[in-house]
């Protein structure tokens, strides 16, 4: 299976990348029992110039094209953005603006964000979840937000594990070959070839009701 992590952190080191790494490690830990997982991290900071050029000339550069191909081919995505002006960052949104609108249809996605204050935690529900629902991705129920005070505190590790488990379950479901369903039973008589179902004329049904 292929797990692609999209991190929109700008600084080095980055709390956004730290959260992305923890989420990916937890997801891999939940999936290795059934399959090997290849993890690829897409750092949007390194693609900023090519993303801007794609808007002006309509063509992705080499690195951006590789990143778009990785996201499109992934069995699951983890996307993490810092909070800017109570929403996702412009770089984060720009990357998903240049991707093919159908690339994420049906793809499992874990959404996460980092910020300086817990007051911005609703960005996951009013910005990120609607964005990926619009792209027809399958967003896992648990979203993960990490404020500055969450690092090292209770609660964050549990949210990470819960979200990772949900993503791993969806990814394993997609990678498991479906079992062909049994053919529907034919209700016809084996000798005559006629249907064994008894069809009562509608007029007879009305007459039966009237007689009650």
């Amino acid at each position: 299976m292929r797990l692609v992590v999209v991190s929109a952190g700008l600084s080095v080191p980055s709390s956004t990348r730290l959260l992305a790494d923890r989420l990916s490690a937890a997801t891999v830990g939940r999936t290795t029992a059934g399959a090997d997982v290849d993890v690829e991290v897409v750092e949007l900071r390194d693609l900023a110039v090519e993303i801007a050029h794609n808007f002006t000339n309509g063509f992705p550069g080499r690195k951006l094209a590789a990143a778009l191909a990785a996201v499109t081919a992934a069995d699951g995505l983890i996307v993490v953005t810092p909070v800017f002006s109570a929403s996702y960052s412009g770089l984060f949104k720009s990357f998903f603006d240049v991707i093919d609108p159908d690339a994420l249809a049906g793809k499992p996605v874990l959404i996460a964000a980092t910020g300086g204050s817990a007051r911005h935690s609703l960005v996951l529900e009013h910005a990120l979840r609607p964005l990926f629902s619009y792209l027809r991705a399958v967003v896992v129920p648990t979203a993960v937000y990490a404020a500055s005070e969450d690092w090292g505190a209770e609660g964050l590790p549990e949210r990470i594990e819960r979200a990772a488990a949900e993503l791993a379950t969806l990814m394993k479901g997609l990678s498991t070959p479906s079992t062909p369903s049994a053919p529907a039973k034919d209700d016809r008589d084996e000798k005559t070839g006629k249907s064994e179902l008894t069809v009562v004329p509608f007029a007879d049904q009305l007459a039966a009701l009237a007689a009650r």
Side-chain angles (χ1 to χ4, degrees):
M1 290 188 290
R2 300 183 62 183
L3 174 65
V4 174
V5 183
V6 178
S7 172
L10 298 179
S11 60
V12 181
S14 164
S15 61
T16 300
R17 176 60 188 270
L18 177 60
L19 180 58
D21 288 343
R22 290 194 179 183
L23 288 167
S24 63
T27 303
V28 170
R30 295 281 185 163
T31 56
T32 50
D36 293 330
V37 181
D38 294 324
V39 180
E40 181 175 347
V41 178
V42 175
E43 280 282 9
L44 298 187
R45 179 186 64 248
D46 301 331
L47 302 174
V49 173
E50 291 193 11
I51 291 173
H53 287 170
N54 191 100
F55 279 111
T56 58
N57 60 29
F59 297 97
R62 179 176 57 84
K63 292 181 180 180
L64 177 57
L68 296 175
V71 169
T72 300
D75 296 302
L77 289 178
I78 296 173
V79 298
V80 191
T81 178
V83 175
F84 285 178
S85 301
S87 187
Y88 35 62
S89 71
L91 180 60
F92 181 88
K93 179 61 162 59
S94 295
F95 176 75
F96 288 101
D97 280 343
V98 300
I99 199 168
D100 187 286
D102 297 323
L104 302 187
K107 197 178 299 296
V109 177
L110 192 167
I111 57 174
T114 58
S117 169
R119 290 176 296 178
H120 292 305
S121 60
L122 287 178
V123 68
L124 295 165
E125 303 304 326
H126 74 67
L128 270 78
R129 196 177 295 276
L131 170 63
F132 289 96
S133 295
Y134 170 77
L135 294 172
R136 292 178 291 140
V138 180
V139 185
V140 302
T142 301
V144 180
Y145 179 82
S148 299
E149 62 266 27
D150 288 329
W151 298 104
E154 295 182 0
L156 180 59
E158 290 77 10
R159 295 198 302 275
I160 289 174
E161 288 296 330
R162 184 166 63 248
E166 293 168 355
L167 179 61
T169 298
L170 289 175
M171 291 175 63
K172 286 187 288 187
L174 290 177
S175 64
T176 302
S178 59
T179 303
S181 57
K185 182 180 178 181
D186 194 346
D187 291 320
R188 295 179 180 275
D189 184 272
E190 294 182 357
K191 295 181 179 179
T192 64
K194 297 182 179 179
S195 174
E196 297 177 358
L197 296 176
T198 301
V199 179
V200 180
F202 186 61
D204 293 347
Q205 296 183 44
L206 289 177
L209 290 174
R212 291 181 181 180

